[in-house]
Amino acid sequence: MRPVIVDKAIYADGTRRDIDGDISDAFDLAREDGDCFVWIGLFEPNVDEFELVKDELQLHPLAAEDAVTAHQRPKLERYDDTLLVVLKTLSYIDETSDIEVGEIMVFLGPDYVVTVRHGSGNPLGPVRERLEESPELLKHGATAVLYAVCDEIVDHYGIVAHEVEIDIIQLEKAVFDPGARDVTEAVHSLKREVLEFRTAEDPLVPVLQEITRGRIAECGSTREYFRDVLDHLLRVDEQVDAHNELLNSVLTAHLALLGKQQNDDMRKISAWAAIIAVPTAIAGIYGMNFEHMPELKWKFGYPLAIGVMLVICTLLFRRLRRSGWL
Amino acid sequence: MRPVIVDKAIYADGTRRDIDGDISDAFDLAREDGDCFVWIGLFEPNVDEFELVKDELQLHPLAAEDAVTAHQRPKLERYDDTLLVVLKTLSYIDETSDIEVGEIMVFLGPDYVVTVRHGSGNPLGPVRERLEESPELLKHGATAVLYAVCDEIVDHYGIVAHEVEIDIIQLEKAVFDPGARDVTEAVHSLKREVLEFRTAEDPLVPVLQEITRGRIAECGSTREYFRDVLDHLLRVDEQVDAHNELLNSVLTAHLALLGKQQNDDMRKISAWAAIIAVPTAIAGIYGMNFEHMPELKWKFGYPLAIGVMLVICTLLFRRLRRSGWL
Amino acid sequence: MRPVIVDKAIYADGTRRDIDGDISDAFDLAREDGDCFVWIGLFEPNVDEFELVKDELQLHPLAAEDAVTAHQRPKLERYDDTLLVVLKTLSYIDETSDIEVGEIMVFLGPDYVVTVRHGSGNPLGPVRERLEESPELLKHGATAVLYAVCDEIVDHYGIVAHEVEIDIIQLEKAVFDPGARDVTEAVHSLKREVLEFRTAEDPLVPVLQEITRGRIAECGSTREYFRDVLDHLLRVDEQVDAHNELLNSVLTAHLALLGKQQNDDMRKISAWAAIIAVPTAIAGIYGMNFEHMPELKWKFGYPLAIGVMLVICTLLFRRLRRSGWL
Amino acid sequence: MRPVIVDKAIYADGTRRDIDGDISDAFDLAREDGDCFVWIGLFEPNVDEFELVKDELQLHPLAAEDAVTAHQRPKLERYDDTLLVVLKTLSYIDETSDIEVGEIMVFLGPDYVVTVRHGSGNPLGPVRERLEESPELLKHGATAVLYAVCDEIVDHYGIVAHEVEIDIIQLEKAVFDPGARDVTEAVHSLKREVLEFRTAEDPLVPVLQEITRGRIAECGSTREYFRDVLDHLLRVDEQVDAHNELLNSVLTAHLALLGKQQNDDMRKISAWAAIIAVPTAIAGIYGMNFEHMPELKWKFGYPLAIGVMLVICTLLFRRLRRSGWL
Amino acid sequence: MRPVIVDKAIYADGTRRDIDGDISDAFDLAREDGDCFVWIGLFEPNVDEFELVKDELQLHPLAAEDAVTAHQRPKLERYDDTLLVVLKTLSYIDETSDIEVGEIMVFLGPDYVVTVRHGSGNPLGPVRERLEESPELLKHGATAVLYAVCDEIVDHYGIVAHEVEIDIIQLEKAVFDPGARDVTEAVHSLKREVLEFRTAEDPLVPVLQEITRGRIAECGSTREYFRDVLDHLLRVDEQVDAHNELLNSVLTAHLALLGKQQNDDMRKISAWAAIIAVPTAIAGIYGMNFEHMPELKWKFGYPLAIGVMLVICTLLFRRLRRSGWL
């Protein structure tokens, strides 16, 4: 059976203490001792599985509903004492050039943090490790976890944006390479990915702005850290916009090159048609059945006719080559 | 005769009581007993049919005019004690891939709520059922009805957006499938639907924002519920924008592929024309009537000529196939 | 001679009283009796003709200049006690599908309203009638006239927008109808109309918003009426934007269909060319003058050759039909 | 030698007094007598030539630098007591349909105004004349000069916009005229002009808005005049945006018509090719050398063959004409 | 070994004093004497190399991290007493028409300024020279260095924008020159450069606006200087936007001209094909083997036939030339 509770621990003074027994005990412990917080990590809980946490933290029914349903927008919401932050995780699948979207909810209270993960992307393992190695950061309390999660996720956005950039550069090469494969479908499907990317990262900007502007009391001591995350996010945001514009430009360039290619091909074809039309016409003339056609009786009439054909064809060929049609 | 009053009931302490007799009595009853509210549901009333309600609630003439005319923008307006919210209902017609637009007005007062429905979409039945099963929600009073109506309608937007998404995926398949049908008309008509969709849902965003920012006193206790609806609406809003962009991209991709197809066809045609032009020219040459054409007297002249034709055609065919023209 | 003063009357307690004698007397009368207002209607006055009104109302020179020159932007301006509102009237000319633009200025003071009309559209007749039939509305004083003028003009915008919608639907039909006329010029000229439409209605939005937000003291008692007009205007505004987008989409669809048509035509032509090239080549071969061509001596050589031609042509025809080229 | 000081005068009580002697004396005179102001007009001064003015008015070094360098953005800046307004002048060159850009800086102090002109457009002559004829306006002091300059420049924008409009209409005619010249280059170069136009007028909007919103104390008494200028500017601004959209539409229409033209030409060519292919094929058949071809011996075989050719050609011609290919 | 500390000096009363010994001593010295500041210039320091500066100035860990990592967005951030401004440097590479991006961080404190340079562009040398020549400016303290750096970088943006403008003009010439090279790839790669340009300069606008609006206490006395820089930046910003639009227009114009070229070529080809088809058909007719073809026996039949061919060809040629197909 898939474990719902992935990890649980109490953090006090920057160090981790594992929890024996029930979640409830942990919460009670944390409440007694003001200087520590509990961190529970869940993976795709269903309504029943989340019930315990909900009751323990006295969560609003809508907040609890958010925790079990994926497919939400990135957002920051306050329910009484609890802050809920929803984030989208992105992971780039190398084989298919696809972007997979996951979801992480962070419930942040005065002495606890509950992270709920949906879908594939899993940034929480490295986050926990990094945090446990930085007692300095952990001293800020539960908000440090929220910061570390945001930082990890946004850093990963940067990596995915870089992969998209590489894909675009490959498409550009394919477009401007003569005789290359058709890129229309690839451009369109990359555009889809970029739109999905934007849907994931764009609504996070106002969330982080609210934190960095100091409107969220819980994150008061870590504002400068969130400002750093916001900065990276804005960079990603600009990259995504630039990618969108570049893809449009790639497609238009592709259209222009197709038109150019077509014209070049048409010229080449027509040039050859012209070259072969001349001997055909001459042969037709000497195939006429008039009784009085002096050339037909000449001894060298035939080689002369062939010669004329060759000369005209050669002249035509040279002229067409010079004017760039061949 | 079509009934104008579809349903009427008094809700007190989260339970429903049917109304005997006149609407006026119901309103009087509700006014006496402070803890309950009346819910009247109307369907496409005309001016006369709405007169009674108007007089009873002392509605502003413009508010009453709004109730009987459909084709309004989604909006929230206050007339003295009464709050008027206009919403658009959308329903997706499977057979034609069309989106049908209806309209619902909600008049919200301290102890009553009047819902007026125009057109096809009918979300009010399920809303009433759901509300009567959630006494918890009904205790918030008349505002719970407004919330439930908004929630139902916006949830349905999500469903319609999903259907549009499926239509777009089908169009994409058709575009990138070689030999597929022409999708231009389908893309354009879907674009029309998406524009209509946007007209229905976009003006609702500021309406819900006004509620969630706490500017509407009546909805004070249900703000968190409306925040949830707004969240879903913003998700739909982003989807609609993405659909619009995707449709543009689909059409451009279609144009690019058409150009490519045309060039491929032209190359194929020209290749075959070149192959058939060669024997025609050779035959023309040996059809000339010169007296001195030694080949004509050769015993194997004819099969040799045919052979030369075949060899040249075969060589041409191979070369053109290798260079991708055939 | 064209009359400059089209109508003049005093309105008191919701009823009209005609003015005998001079404008000045009317203004004096109105000033004495606080509960009434004068309404003067002018049509394209020149500087001299407007002088009297200007002196009587002590208008600012720039306000007076505005009254005699047409071609201004819709706007709301305050000159001391006088409010000046400039509106554009639109009328749809059925024969040419053109939109004609006129202009109406409304000078609004505490006890007078002066309307100045330029160009063709004439909404003031019906406005006066409607007002004189609604003493309720007239009791709000001079501001009721401003409301009624705005309402009439914006309602007419709705009608014109509907006509444009019909024109677009006809263009769509023409585009997607095989063998239809070229619509490029029609689309472009409709786009011009839509841009002109937007220039007329878009600057009116902030004007009405200023009134509905209560920043214009004169319109305090009629705010709810103006909110209704603003609502209709926003609806028109959205329609105009949608029309603009639809026209772009129609033109792109037209381009795509042209490309498709061209490819279909090219395939058809080439298919027929291929079918006729085969008998020509065969005939060429049997037109060669080799001495030793056994087939030429066969008794049924000729009908056989014709037969082979027919068979190959038929096979080609079938194959091309099956692959959709014919 | 080119004169740097173009004009200088003292204006008191609405009338002009010429300045004898030095600029310094004029400034001293103006300072003594509080009710008048000095107006100095300069043309392309260099650093040394502007030194005197700079010292006299104790201008900020950056302000002085602005005065001698052209190529700045329209802007309004305050340096201590002095207000600096930079404006772009536009003039339409009929012969080339080009728009030439000049620049005017206005330094406005309590008792002086210095205008510095760069480049070709010269609106200051007419401004001075108009002002000297309106003592009413001149009584507002130095700010009247700023108003008059803005008014003249913005009015000229309107004229240039009208010329651009005419150019666009000519391009439209050329596009929709069959057999007309190619307009691509003209459209693109007009687009360049429109972009340059926008660069000149668009940054002026916030400058005038700041004045009309009363944030510039110096222009307090002339606010209503500046509102009038802003109004004209906004009208021009909308026209420029509409021109930009129209030019895009013209180019797309041109593309569509080119595609249509190409298809029409291709059809016509193919139709004629088909008509001539038929007699060629028939002639080929009767050019075959079979011994047993009974038709060849018929007395009327030849005219019959020619007749058949003519009949088929005529039938084809009629059919192709009816289906619109010819 | 590459030197990390590029330059270091103390500036007092507008004159430079070189620092003997350690950085720490310099900072101590500056702290003692309130009227001077230290300027340290670093080039691509790594974490260890920056450690000393970080400790000395007690920089926030995130600020120190910023200093050693390049690839950040232009931004202004406050860490306690220290202001961090990140700027992008651009340099235009003539040979490849590429734009190279570098980065400069400026740490600004009450009595010190630390500049950290990454990548190629090096504006700091000229900045130091210019500052040391303007003691007037240096008296404003450390903020003068920030101003001078911004000014130098933004001025360089202007130069790069000018180079891009020249590249665009060359592309325009290439597009509208008949028989010119294909510009699609060049347009696309220039578009890439313009997007990169925008990424570098656009986020700097709000940074400078914050300074010019007086929100940054450190730059209080130099606000007017920064306003000048902002002005130049806005000009560059508008140019970059115009370049983007122009490149789109160039590509569309290129598409239109390609279509036109293709049609012209197709007409020319078809015209020649028509001219050569006529003698071929006539020759075919007189190549028929009917016994009774009187023309064949005429003495001048052959020259007559050739004559007819020449006459028809000439007439066709003239007609096609007149209608513009040749």
Side-chain angles (χ1 to χ4, degrees), chain A residues 147 165 168-169 172 176 224-228 230-232 234-236 238 242-243 245-247 249-250 252-257 259-260 262-263 266-267 270-271 274 277-278 280-281 284-295 325, chain E residues 60-62 65-66 71-73 75 77-80 88 181-182 184-185 188 191-192 195 198-199 203 244 251 254-255 258 261-262 265-266 268-269 276 279-280 282-284 286-289 295-299 301-303 305-306 309:
Chain A
Y147 155 68
E165 173 82 31
I168 290 177
I169 290 170
E172 283 173 342
F176 295 116
E224 274 160 7
Y225 291 93
F226 280 103
R227 206 170 58 186
D228 198 61
L230 174 58
D231 217 65
H232 293 170
L234 287 175
R235 210 179 130 74
V236 167
E238 280 168 4
H243 289 162
E245 273 206 52
L246 272 178
L247 283 172
S249 172
V250 165
T252 318
H254 183 49
L255 271 173
L257 287 176
K260 175 116 189 57
Q262 187 161 350
N263 204 20
M266 195 186 67
R267 283 176 166 196
S270 313
V278 167
T280 308
I285 285 168
Y286 289 109
M288 294 194 295
N289 297 319
F290 287 101
E291 282 187 1
H292 304 283
M293 289 178 71
E295 298 97 317
W325 285 48
Chain E
H60 192 279
L62 286 171
E65 208 187 299
D66 280 352
H71 300 299
Q72 302 188 66
R73 290 181 75 232
K75 62 178 175 184
E77 281 183 4
R78 173 175 296 289
Y79 295 98
D80 308 319
K88 294 275 178 187
R181 66 193 168 94
D182 186 59
T184 312
E185 187 163 4
H188 180 75
K191 202 178 172 91
R192 236 186 193 284
L195 286 178
R198 190 157 65 187
T199 309
N244 204 12
L251 200 52
H254 183 50
L255 272 172
L258 268 181
Q261 176 72 53
Q262 188 161 349
D265 287 353
M266 195 186 67
K268 204 186 242 166
I269 293 161
I276 213 158
T280 308
I282 293 176
Y286 288 110
M288 294 194 294
N289 296 319
E295 299 97 316
L296 296 181
K297 273 138 199 158
W298 293 354
K299 200 167 176 189
Y302 173 53
I306 298 289
M309 288 178 194

Side-chain angles (χ1 to χ4, degrees), chain D residues 185 188-189 192-193 196, chain E residues 92 97 160-177 180-181 183 186-187 190 194 239 242-244 246-247 250:
Chain D
E185 187 162 5
H188 180 76
S189 89
R192 235 184 194 286
E193 303 295 322
E196 216 169 336
Chain E
Y92 184 86
S97 300
V160 175
H162 185 66
E163 295 287 343
V164 171
E165 174 82 31
I166 290 170
D167 281 2
I168 291 177
I169 289 170
Q170 280 175 347
L171 282 178
E172 283 173 343
K173 272 194 196 132
V175 163
F176 295 116
D177 222 36
R181 66 193 168 94
V183 300
V187 170
L190 202 53
V194 168
Q239 278 179 298
H243 289 162
N244 204 12
L246 272 178
L247 283 172
V250 164

Side-chain angles (χ1 to χ4, degrees), chain B residues 2-304:
Chain B
R2 176 181 60 88
V4 170
I5 299 181
V6 180
D7 200 352
K8 52 183 178 185
I10 291 189
Y11 294 83
D13 287 323
T15 57
R16 173 189 177 124
R17 200 156 17 117
D18 279 321
I19 300 177
D20 305 321
D22 211 338
I23 296 184
S24 308
D25 304 337
F27 282 125
D28 291 344
L29 223 81
R31 252 168 233 140
E32 278 166 33
D33 183 353
D35 268 7
C36 70
F37 69 93
V38 184
W39 181 4
I40 313 286
L42 302 175
F43 178 64
E44 301 194 348
N46 59 30
V47 179
D48 296 336
E49 290 162 350
F50 195 69
E51 194 71 5
L52 186 64
V53 176
K54 184 192 154 187
D55 291 347
E56 192 63 44
L57 303 179
Q58 290 173 305
L59 285 180
H60 191 279
L62 285 171
E65 208 186 301
D66 280 351
V68 295
T69 30
H71 301 300
Q72 301 188 66
R73 289 182 76 232
K75 63 179 174 184
L76 177 151
E77 280 182 4
R78 173 175 294 291
Y79 293 100
D80 308 320
D81 261 6
T82 309
L83 203 70
L84 164 60
V85 178
V86 178
L87 298 136
K88 292 275 177 187
T89 60
L90 297 179
S91 33
Y92 185 85
I93 311 301
D94 255 334
E95 298 82 52
T96 56
S97 301
D98 263 4
I99 296 176
E100 270 190 24
V101 183
E103 215 165 308
I104 284 183
M105 292 96 169
V106 181
F107 292 89
L108 186 74
D111 45 15
Y112 63 86
V113 58
V114 176
T115 52
V116 182
R117 187 158 66 76
H118 287 266
S120 59
N122 182 4
L124 293 182
V127 164
R128 212 179 265 268
E129 272 174 43
R130 184 183 147 200
L131 272 177
E132 290 173 4
E133 283 166 7
S134 334
E136 204 63 23
L137 201 57
L138 265 180
K139 274 180 187 152
H140 289 282
T143 179
V145 175
L146 178 60
Y147 155 68
V149 170
C150 290
D151 193 43
E152 178 72 23
I153 287 177
V154 170
D155 272 5
H156 208 78
Y157 287 174
I159 294 169
V160 175
H162 185 67
E163 295 287 343
V164 170
E165 173 82 32
I166 290 171
D167 281 2
I168 290 178
I169 289 170
Q170 280 174 346
L171 281 178
E172 284 173 342
K173 272 195 199 131
V175 163
F176 295 116
D177 222 35
R181 66 193 168 96
D182 186 57
V183 300
T184 312
E185 188 163 3
V187 170
H188 180 75
S189 90
L190 200 54
K191 202 178 171 91
R192 234 182 195 287
E193 302 296 321
V194 168
L195 286 178
E196 216 169 335
F197 198 149
R198 190 156 65 188
T199 309
E201 56 81 18
D202 205 48
L204 194 56
V205 173
V207 167
L208 287 178
Q209 278 173 339
E210 220 169 323
I211 295 177
T212 55
R213 279 171 194 157
R215 300 216 184 108
I216 308 301
E218 283 89 339
C219 309
S221 67
T222 44
R223 258 175 76 186
E224 273 160 8
Y225 291 94
F226 280 103
R227 207 170 57 185
D228 198 60
V229 177
L230 174 58
D231 217 66
H232 293 170
L233 181 61
L234 286 175
R235 210 178 130 76
V236 167
D237 199 44
E238 281 169 3
Q239 278 178 298
V240 170
D241 283 351
H243 289 162
N244 203 11
E245 274 207 52
L246 273 178
L247 283 171
N248 287 344
S249 173
V250 165
L251 200 53
T252 319
H254 183 50
L255 271 173
L257 288 176
L258 267 181
K260 175 115 188 58
Q261 175 73 51
Q262 187 161 349
N263 203 20
D264 287 356
D265 287 352
M266 195 185 67
R267 284 177 166 195
K268 204 186 243 166
I269 294 160
S270 312
W272 283 115
I275 287 172
I276 213 158
V278 167
T280 307
I282 293 175
I285 286 167
Y286 289 109
M288 294 195 293
N289 296 319
F290 288 102
E291 281 187 1
H292 304 284
M293 288 179 72
E295 299 97 315
L296 295 182
K297 272 137 201 159
W298 294 354
K299 201 166 177 190
F300 296 104
Y302 173 53
L304 211 78

Side-chain angles (χ1 to χ4, degrees), chain A residues 29-212:
Chain A
L29 224 80
R31 255 168 231 139
E32 279 166 32
D33 184 353
D35 268 7
C36 70
F37 67 93
V38 184
W39 181 3
I40 312 286
L42 303 175
F43 177 64
E44 300 193 348
N46 59 30
V47 179
D48 298 336
E49 290 161 349
F50 196 68
E51 194 70 5
L52 186 64
V53 176
K54 183 192 156 189
D55 291 348
E56 192 61 45
L57 304 179
Q58 291 173 306
L59 287 179
H60 192 279
L62 285 171
E65 207 187 300
D66 279 352
V68 295
T69 31
H71 301 299
Q72 301 188 65
R73 290 181 76 233
K75 62 179 175 183
L76 177 152
E77 281 183 4
R78 173 175 295 290
Y79 294 100
D80 309 320
D81 261 6
T82 310
L83 203 71
L84 164 60
V85 178
V86 179
L87 299 136
K88 293 275 178 188
T89 60
L90 297 179
S91 33
Y92 183 85
I93 311 302
D94 254 335
E95 299 81 51
T96 55
S97 301
D98 263 5
I99 296 176
E100 270 190 23
V101 183
E103 215 165 309
I104 284 183
M105 291 96 170
V106 181
F107 291 89
L108 187 73
D111 46 15
Y112 63 86
V113 58
V114 176
T115 51
V116 182
R117 186 158 66 76
H118 287 265
S120 59
N122 182 4
L124 293 182
V127 164
R128 212 179 266 268
E129 273 173 41
R130 185 183 147 201
L131 272 177
E132 290 173 5
E133 283 165 7
S134 333
E136 204 63 24
L137 201 57
L138 264 180
K139 275 181 186 152
H140 289 282
T143 179
V145 176
L146 178 60
Y147 155 68
V149 169
C150 290
D151 193 43
E152 179 71 25
I153 288 177
V154 170
D155 272 6
H156 209 77
Y157 287 174
I159 295 168
V160 175
H162 185 67
E163 295 287 343
V164 170
E165 173 82 31
I166 290 170
D167 281 2
I168 290 177
I169 290 170
Q170 280 174 347
L171 282 178
E172 283 173 342
K173 272 194 197 131
V175 163
F176 295 116
D177 222 36
R181 67 192 169 96
D182 186 59
V183 300
T184 312
E185 188 164 3
V187 170
H188 180 75
S189 89
L190 201 53
K191 202 178 171 89
R192 235 183 194 286
E193 302 295 321
V194 168
L195 286 178
E196 216 170 335
F197 198 149
R198 191 157 65 188
T199 309
E201 57 81 18
D202 204 49
L204 194 57
V205 174
V207 167
L208 287 177
Q209 279 172 339
E210 221 170 322
I211 295 177
T212 55

Side-chain angles (χ1 to χ4, degrees), chain D residues 42-113:
Chain D
L42 303 175
F43 177 64
E44 299 193 349
N46 58 31
V47 180
D48 297 336
E49 291 162 349
F50 196 70
E51 194 69 5
L52 186 65
V53 175
K54 183 193 154 187
D55 292 347
E56 192 63 45
L57 303 178
Q58 291 173 305
L59 285 180
H60 192 279
L62 286 172
E65 209 187 298
D66 280 352
V68 295
T69 30
H71 301 299
Q72 301 187 65
R73 290 182 75 233
K75 61 179 175 184
L76 177 151
E77 280 182 7
R78 173 175 296 288
Y79 295 99
D80 309 319
D81 261 8
T82 310
L83 204 69
L84 164 60
V85 178
V86 178
L87 299 135
K88 294 275 177 187
T89 59
L90 297 179
S91 32
Y92 184 86
I93 311 302
D94 254 335
E95 298 83 49
T96 55
S97 300
D98 264 3
I99 296 176
E100 270 190 23
V101 183
E103 214 165 309
I104 284 184
M105 291 96 169
V106 181
F107 292 89
L108 186 74
D111 45 14
Y112 63 85
V113 59

